[in-house]
Amino acid sequence: MPIRVLAPELVNQIAAGEVVERPASVVKELVENSLDAGARRILVEVEGGGADLVRVTDDGAGIAADEMLLAVAAHATSKVSTSDDLAAIHTFGFRGEALASIASVSRFRMVSCTRASDVGTEIEVEGTTLRGPRPAPARPGTMIEVRTLFFNVPARRKFLKSDSAETSRVSDAIESIAMAHPHVAFELRSSGRKLLDLAATDEPAKRTLDVLGKELGPELLEFEEHFPELGGLIVRGFAGRPSIARPTARAIRIHLNGRPIMDRSVLHAVREAYRGLVDSARTPTVALILEIDPREVDVNVHPAKTEVRFRSQQGIHSAVRKSIERALRAANLVAHFVPDAFKSNPVEIPAPRAPLFGSGLAPSTHRVGPSADFSAFAALALESAAKIDSDDDTAALQAEFPYIQLLNGFLVTEDADGVVIVDQHALHERAMFSMFMDRLQSGALESQRLLVPIILERSAREVEILGEIAPLLDRLGIVARAFGPRSIAIDGVPTLLHSRNADAGEFVGDVLEKAVEHGSLLSLEAALHEIVDMMSCKAAVKAGDALGDAEIRELLRMRASIERSSACPHGRPTSMRIARSELDRRFGRS
């Protein structure tokens, strides 16, 4: 085929494919333009998830009448004038293609007025047709309407999700930007309903809690560290205690010089700081704000500007990890390890409050030292655990189970083939999962009504989604209702969950987060398994729970009767065996 120059409208549509992925992308670009214009208040209105309408109104500096046409021209910008400017980007928008790209795939209207003018200017763009500029009544600032997004690119429009899912993405985009700009007020309305109303504040902590939820205040550890050697890097923000880790990646918010980013290296540093404190299936709650000399980072890596490249990638990774680790260490939350010195220095282990052996042998003080190397025993257990207990093997357990409880988390018992080490939490989680699923086969779970409702502060989107997931909540025995624009009242929880003294508010919060992550959980059967996994984890005994003799024997009996008892619902083994033959070999017995 011959080489040809593409038509300008096609060039803009191709650029739109890079910049405008969905309505939330439009909102992000327009809101960032408002911030660059010095806006102190930004109103975002959407209809149909933003596919039908996105309207952004600000009180910024406005655009002069003679520059309105340039504003929608490709690669026209007021933010970059020389190649040297690209080495130190101080603004959000700088490529000059955002408005042109958006206008090329929508019915576009813009009205703007400078603070020195008494009248505004209006232009409209539809495909290749441009109307204006013409005078229009307007307050100082800019209003941009984007209607019927992708009307001329129907293939792109078909890939949009449901209205609720797209609205959720818009809300997330605004919250992400708002967290780094507390001095600016943000409001989001969806089809006339107010979903977000974030008042301007001089306190970054207040804005963080407005976004993440005020109830998290006591659970967030504030930190700020300075690294002059890394381009004047400042690492500040809030690290959540492990107890508020979330089931989705939405729990981590990262900003660089006011710009929301999702840099893989920084994400990895955050997770590394929590290694050993948070289950790998969950995500720590962290609000991270980085400030650095713009010359030390390239934000021109990706059209959406969510990916960046640091001059000192390793240095940034180390700084972020250490900053969060120090905040966690100050709260005595960092996991500890036993040094090698433990092996050569005898340690006195105090007598347990309950009998160590299930058979009722009297408690005593045991001495651990070189002659009884517990670390070597642990290594033996791991090495010999290649054979993980199978479901068929559980039938071999005796009617009465002799056992030892170690570290308030592990049970050591025996069967015909050797010594079995059981993780009490993993086993009980599998037992609870089986129990919940059995109950659900015959209908909804029984609900325990609460004398006083539990009030949760949640996002406006989570309040809105309550109606969409009502069938799921009913099946699970959860009675919840909207209690305000950003509040939810829980009037009833599953009886089985209540009887285990599980945190019902935390559980319902996790359910809502999952619902928002997936847009909605209208596929009831597909959602039940995932939610019951969460419920089982909440209801199960935890590592560290001291169990009585009767409770332990009942737990071991469950192991012999439930289906697939060898692994918890997440796939972790519930038990492992040291074979009798391996013990004989280790002790030199023939």
Side-chain angles (χ1 to χ4, degrees):
M1 297 178 63
I3 299 173
R4 60 173 63 88
V5 177
L6 296 177
E9 61 270 19
L10 185 55
V11 171
N12 285 337
Q13 288 180 5
I14 292 172
E18 298 177 335
V19 177
V20 185
E21 180 185 1
R22 55 187 354 106
S25 309
V26 174
V27 170
K28 173 182 176 295
E29 295 290 344
L30 298 185
V31 168
E32 287 181 346
N33 279 349
S34 295
L35 292 172
D36 280 340
R40 303 291 297 201
R41 181 169 186 81
I42 301 173
L43 168 64
V44 180
E45 300 167 274
V46 298
E47 293 177 5
D52 297 336
L53 170 69
V54 169
R55 181 188 295 120
V56 176
T57 306
D58 68 52
D59 61 353
I63 303 171
D66 58 354
E67 295 181 346
M68 288 286 281
L69 292 181
L70 281 174
V72 293
H75 308 301
T77 179
S78 62
K79 302 164 187 178
V80 173
S81 57
T82 70
S83 59
D84 292 339
D85 294 337
L86 292 176
I89 299 295
H90 292 84
T91 58
F92 296 108
F94 56 85
R95 294 168 177 264
E97 87 282 29
L99 291 186
S101 298
I102 294 169
S104 72
V105 291
S106 68
R107 295 182 171 94
F108 181 93
R109 175 173 171 258
M110 178 167 64
V111 179
S112 189
C113 180
T114 63
R115 290 164 184 159
S117 177
D118 295 329
V119 64
T121 306
E122 176 183 24
I123 62 170
E124 294 179 278
V125 182
E126 183 173 335
T128 58
T129 304
L130 190 151
R131 291 184 288 272
R134 54 178 175 258
R139 296 178 179 177
T142 301
M143 185 282 296
I144 295 178
E145 283 185 353
V146 178
R147 293 185 179 273
T148 53
L149 186 64
F150 301 133
F151 79 97
N152 52 354
V153 193
R156 295 290 304 279
R157 194 174 175 95
K158 286 193 299 185
F159 280 94
L160 297 181
K161 303 297 183 183
S162 66
D163 289 356
S164 61
E166 296 297 341
T167 301
S168 178
R169 289 175 181 268
V170 169
S171 181
D172 283 347
I174 295 173
E175 287 184 338
S176 293
I177 295 172
M179 192 177 290
H181 299 275
H183 60 284
V184 179
F186 294 84
E187 184 178 338
L188 169 63
R189 297 177 187 170
S190 175
S191 300
R193 293 182 55 231
K194 186 180 294 186
L195 299 186
L196 287 177
D197 191 0
L198 303 174
T201 176
D202 294 327
E203 303 174 22
K206 181 180 184 305
R207 173 56 60 82
T208 299
L209 293 179
D210 284 344
V211 172
L212 297 182
K214 292 183 176 63
E215 76 281 359
L216 295 183
E219 305 300 321
L220 296 176
L221 308 170
E222 189 168 6
F223 60 90
E224 181 171 325
E225 301 270 353
H226 293 248
F227 301 87
E229 71 280 10
L230 293 172
L233 174 67
I234 299 175
V235 181
R236 60 183 176 88
F238 299 85
R241 295 176 183 272
S243 58
I244 61 169
R246 302 298 193 190
T248 72
R250 294 174 64 246
I252 299 179
R253 310 276 185 138
I254 303 173
H255 299 82
L256 172 67
N257 291 347
R259 185 193 309 278
I261 64 169
M262 289 303 290
D263 181 78
R264 292 180 182 179
S265 177
V266 176
L267 277 171
H268 184 265
V270 171
R271 292 185 181 277
E272 281 295 296
Y274 280 85
R275 180 180 289 275
L277 294 176
V278 172
D279 188 286
S280 59
R282 298 178 71 81
T283 302
T285 297
V286 174
L288 181 66
I289 296 177
L290 308 176
E291 297 175 19
I292 194 172
D293 186 330
R295 291 170 293 186
E296 296 296 315
V297 60
D298 182 5
V299 297
N300 198 21
V301 176
H302 188 274
K305 300 183 285 290
T306 56
E307 298 177 17
V308 299
R309 184 181 296 116
F310 293 101
R311 187 184 298 274
S312 177
Q313 198 82 20
Q314 188 173 352
I316 300 297
H317 182 283
S318 177
V320 170
R321 178 178 56 80
K322 289 178 180 178
S323 297
I324 297 175
E325 279 183 350
R326 280 193 275 263
L328 296 173
R329 187 177 295 114
N332 197 28
L333 293 173
V334 172
H336 298 284
F337 69 97
V338 180
D340 291 341
F342 178 85
K343 298 178 182 178
S344 57
N345 296 310
V347 178
E348 294 293 326
I349 301 178
R353 285 179 289 183
L356 179 65
F357 288 85
S359 56
L361 295 179
S364 61
T365 297
H366 297 266
R367 191 173 181 84
V368 178
S371 61
D373 187 350
F374 192 80
S375 296
F377 175 79
L380 168 64
L382 292 174
E383 179 183 336
S384 304
K387 180 183 178 184
I388 295 177
D389 241 4
S390 68
D391 299 332
D392 296 333
D393 293 332
T394 61
L397 286 174
Q398 302 170 1
E400 288 297 321
F401 306 96
Y403 71 87
I404 302 172
Q405 185 181 37
L406 297 178
L407 307 176
N408 279 346
F410 298 93
L411 308 174
V412 182
T413 184
E414 67 177 13
D415 63 13
D417 295 321
V419 175
V420 179
I421 303 173
V422 176
D423 180 330
Q424 68 181 36
H425 169 70
L427 177 56
H428 197 228
E429 188 177 355
R430 165 56 68 183
M432 295 303 295
F433 179 84
S434 298
M435 185 185 302
F436 283 132
M437 292 305 292
D438 288 345
R439 297 282 182 91
L440 285 167
Q441 296 302 317
S442 57
L445 295 180
E446 181 182 351
S447 182
Q448 172 71 49
R449 299 290 297 193
L450 303 178
L451 293 176
V452 178
I454 299 171
I455 307 299
L456 300 181
E457 285 196 48
R458 308 299 300 185
S459 70
R461 175 58 188 142
E462 287 173 341
V463 175
E464 182 184 39
I465 209 169
L466 268 179
E468 299 178 33
I469 64 172
L472 174 65
L473 299 181
D474 291 342
R475 187 87 175 269
L476 294 170
I478 299 172
V479 182
R481 56 190 165 86
F483 193 68
R486 292 175 67 92
S487 299
I488 289 170
I490 304 172
D491 298 306
V493 296
T495 302
L496 285 171
L497 202 62
H498 187 266
S499 66
R500 293 296 310 164
N501 295 319
D503 188 331
E506 182 182 11
F507 171 69
V508 173
D510 284 353
V511 172
L512 291 170
E513 283 200 11
K514 284 289 186 183
V516 170
E517 181 186 28
H518 298 304
S520 64
L521 290 175
L522 298 179
S523 176
L524 183 58
E525 296 305 320
L528 277 176
H529 193 285
E530 187 172 5
I531 302 302
V532 171
D533 272 1
M534 293 162 49
M535 188 183 295
S536 304
C537 189
K538 298 283 188 236
V541 297
K542 303 297 187 290
D545 288 352
L547 301 180
D549 185 77
E551 292 172 299
I552 291 175
R553 292 184 184 280
E554 179 58 29
L555 186 58
L556 293 175
R557 287 190 184 95
M558 287 180 181
R559 178 173 174 268
S561 61
I562 61 177
E563 238 182 298
R564 302 183 66 182
S565 65
S566 63
C568 79
H570 310 299
R572 288 196 308 111
T574 63
S575 55
M576 50 183 63
R577 177 188 292 112
I578 304 175
R580 174 64 181 266
S581 59
E582 178 66 15
L583 289 172
D584 285 343
R585 187 181 71 81
R586 292 278 179 159
F587 282 96
R589 302 178 63 178
S590 58

